[in-house]
Amino acid sequence: MPLEGPPPVSFNPLAAMRSDLRAERAISVPFPPGETRVSAKRTERLRRDPLGMLLEGYERYGPVFTMRVFHGNTVFVLGPEANYHVLVAGAENFAYREGQYRDLIGLLGDGLLTIDGEFHRRSRLAMLPVFHRESIAAAHQTILEETRAAIDAMRLGERVDLYTWTRHLAMRIALRALFGIDPDGPAAQSVDAAELFEYALGFYGREYALQALRGPMTPFAKMRAARSRLDWLVYSEIARRRRSGERGLDLLSVLLDARDEDGSSLSARQVRDEVMTLLFAGHDTSTSTIAFMFYELARQPEWAERLRAEQDEVLAGRAPAAADLTGETLPTLEMVIDETLRLYPPAWIGPRRSRENFTVCGVQVPGGIPVDYSSWISHRLPDVWPEAHAFLPERFAPAAKAALPRGAYIPFGGGSRTCIGMRFGQLEVRTIATLLLAAHSFELEPGYTLRIRQMPTISPRDGLPVRVQARARTAPAARATAAA
């Protein structure tokens, strides 16, 4: 049977609202306790401060509670037990495409992030070879080359927005390593993919009422215009590859050559949707992780020095090979990255729709309604994480990490929907961080205050402005102390 995608969705917001309200009226068990009256104030606060508001909900109602957001009720399920149920034990009871991820289809289309069931399973299988350990290691040279070139362009004393710097770097890496597209070629040079993605994703951070508007000059129309320019880049490369027969070890080649049992190939639209989804996931998450990591290191420079001491000891000035960038070889780096992902998991929210009634944490939840888990909130629960808002990498020392409750730490999701690009993203973050630490020190601009923006991912709202400084060379005695 051909690998056919799901039917197209409607982008009519009124139709979506009517559907949500009909589903609410059809429930056969009551909603969990919470705040179910319509409130514009609550809706706006949840958009601006989800961390504070959902932590308050957890403290007041426990791990399962209801909150009316804009027009409809959403059930939030938080904490280790709830995460494990949604991601693993009860995963078959939750749909992605029918939940709030449907909003992403307007930009990304029907890629791995927004599809379900057999189509998701077979699509994921088709792409797995690109994300095998050996293939990821082969991409390491591209990551090294692009990162070195970007660092070489830095000048001591200059002000750099490290968030924007990393976004452009990660997009170049994704274009080359995942899709075999030359970022310096004429097509890529005519379209600033990193800026277009940033602009398009900004739609999902707008007020809910503005997101619902349609017509010329609305935020939705501007997002779709950015999508059209990105589409031109992707479709042009698909057409060029099909004409020339050129193939490589990249994901685009795998998608173009994928065949079903009956010999059918993927349509250009199906290829485009997977490319767009992986371009988004392949650069946006790494960008946020690097920015948040260096924000914390700038505030706690002793950890930056411990990282430099470790890599000086292990690498002795040479460039890291892929085999060097593991938790066994550079354990301090691994703890720092783990703690960064705890405090700032890029994919901070996991919207679903329940198919049938279910029970989690002793609370019954209706079927057919939006159900959201959140890694960001779950990673900040004070009864799971002592000093939950503090940057404490030592909490991820091997023994402490092994003792975490099942479902407590979920920066990459879990179960059959674990991020397919997890290994690629980890290698990319480790490589970029190691080379940045070896080259320079970074100081936050005076007066900078971190404000977090919530879109499909979280990121620094105002970027990460830093001053590039010469790195201090770690003395042998300091290296020995850090290694101990």
Side-chain angles (χ1 to χ4, degrees):
M1 185 176 77
L3 187 60
E4 294 183 358
V9 298
S10 168
F11 296 120
N12 182 337
L14 294 179
M17 291 179 195
R18 285 195 297 268
S19 176
D20 288 344
L21 293 173
R22 279 197 301 269
E24 280 193 20
R25 290 195 294 269
I27 64 174
S28 58
V29 300
F31 280 100
E35 302 176 32
T36 57
R37 291 182 297 111
V38 174
S39 169
K41 182 178 179 180
R42 182 194 316 119
T43 296
E44 179 59 13
R45 188 191 166 196
L46 187 64
R47 186 184 73 83
R48 290 185 175 275
D49 180 28
L51 180 62
M53 194 166 184
L54 293 178
L55 284 174
E56 288 173 12
Y58 178 88
E59 183 178 359
R60 181 176 180 184
Y61 299 109
V64 182
F65 58 90
T66 305
M67 195 168 288
R68 186 170 291 278
V69 182
F70 198 43
H71 67 285
N73 280 325
T74 295
V75 173
F76 291 92
V77 294
L78 306 173
E81 182 182 342
N83 293 335
Y84 185 77
H85 180 86
V86 172
L87 293 170
V88 183
E92 293 302 314
N93 191 41
F94 300 98
Y96 278 63
R97 185 177 174 79
E98 298 168 18
Q100 291 155 352
Y101 267 135
R102 68 188 175 198
D103 298 340
L104 275 174
I105 297 173
L107 174 61
L108 302 181
D110 290 317
L112 283 183
L113 197 59
T114 57
I115 56 178
D116 288 298
E118 182 66 6
F119 184 55
H120 175 271
R121 186 188 70 81
R122 293 166 70 187
S123 298
R124 186 179 175 98
L125 282 174
M127 288 187 274
L128 275 176
V130 176
F131 295 101
H132 286 164
R133 191 179 303 275
E134 296 78 11
S135 301
I136 298 302
H140 181 56
Q141 187 60 36
T142 296
I143 300 173
L144 278 175
E145 290 172 4
E146 291 291 344
T147 306
R148 281 170 168 160
I151 290 174
D152 286 347
M154 288 181 170
R155 296 292 177 265
L156 293 180
E158 75 172 328
R159 179 187 186 276
V160 173
D161 180 347
L162 201 59
Y163 173 74
T164 300
W165 180 91
T166 310
R167 175 173 285 280
H168 283 89
L169 168 60
M171 179 58 76
R172 288 181 62 90
I173 291 169
L175 288 172
R176 282 186 63 188
L178 294 179
F179 304 107
I181 298 175
D182 180 4
D184 294 317
Q189 283 293 297
S190 66
V191 174
D192 189 335
E195 287 300 318
L196 282 173
F197 259 112
E198 178 83 350
Y199 182 79
L201 290 168
F203 167 78
Y204 300 99
R206 302 296 299 272
E207 295 84 347
Y208 292 115
L210 292 180
Q211 290 185 41
L213 296 177
R214 297 294 182 266
M217 304 305 295
T218 62
F220 184 79
K222 293 176 181 179
M223 180 270 285
R224 296 283 283 185
R227 168 189 160 137
S228 293
R229 294 187 64 194
L230 289 163
D231 279 354
W232 177 85
L233 172 65
V234 175
Y235 279 123
S236 295
E237 184 65 14
I238 291 171
R240 187 188 73 80
R241 295 282 197 96
R242 282 187 164 159
R243 282 195 310 268
S244 67
E246 178 187 330
R247 297 292 187 270
L249 300 175
D250 53 274
L251 178 62
L252 182 54
S253 296
V254 171
L255 293 171
L256 290 173
D257 289 340
R259 294 291 183 272
D260 264 321
E261 294 92 335
D262 66 351
S264 300
S265 61
L266 297 177
S267 69
R269 183 186 63 80
Q270 288 172 325
V271 174
R272 173 263 174 216
D273 289 352
E274 297 297 0
V275 168
M276 286 286 282
T277 298
L278 268 297
L279 273 178
F280 157 62
H283 89 285
D284 199 67
T285 55
S286 295
T287 297
S288 296
T289 301
I290 289 292
F292 287 127
M293 176 181 170
F294 277 84
Y295 166 75
E296 292 293 350
L297 292 178
R299 297 170 71 224
Q300 299 194 44
E302 68 276 11
W303 276 101
E305 289 312 307
R306 287 181 64 176
L307 290 173
R308 291 190 180 98
E310 177 180 78
Q311 69 185 50
D312 286 352
E313 189 74 26
V314 173
L315 302 177
R318 63 178 173 81
D324 294 320
L325 299 171
T326 67
E328 292 77 21
T329 307
L330 297 171
T332 307
L333 176 64
E334 198 71 5
M335 290 192 298
V336 166
I337 292 174
D338 281 346
E339 178 68 344
T340 300
L341 289 170
R342 183 190 71 84
L343 286 171
Y344 312 102
W348 69 280
I349 190 80
R352 306 283 196 275
R353 185 175 292 271
S354 58
R355 303 183 193 274
E356 306 289 343
N357 299 345
F358 68 100
T359 300
V360 63
C361 303
V363 179
Q364 196 169 30
V365 181
I369 53 95
V371 176
D372 290 8
Y373 81 91
S374 173
S375 54
W376 194 22
I377 314 304
S378 292
H379 289 176
R380 301 265 188 147
L381 297 178
D383 53 342
V384 179
W385 304 93
E387 298 182 74
H389 300 295
F391 181 72
L392 300 172
E394 60 267 26
R395 72 172 93 236
F396 285 98
K401 186 174 181 179
L404 290 173
R406 182 175 64 183
Y409 183 62
I410 50 166
F412 298 102
S416 64
R417 304 287 301 227
T418 299
C419 175
I420 192 173
M422 178 179 68
R423 287 198 187 105
F424 180 89
Q426 288 174 324
L427 179 65
E428 183 176 40
V429 167
R430 291 164 182 158
T431 304
I432 294 172
T434 297
L435 294 181
L436 280 172
L437 286 162
H440 300 300
S441 294
F442 300 94
E443 294 180 359
L444 292 173
E445 281 283 87
Y448 174 80
T449 299
L450 177 67
R451 298 192 302 158
I452 296 178
R453 173 180 56 183
Q454 299 83 35
M455 299 188 299
T457 56
I458 57 172
S459 58
R461 179 178 295 275
D462 308 302
L464 187 68
V466 297
R467 288 285 172 183
V468 181
Q469 306 288 351
R471 65 154 286 189
R473 298 292 157 182
T474 309
R479 290 202 298 271
T481 301

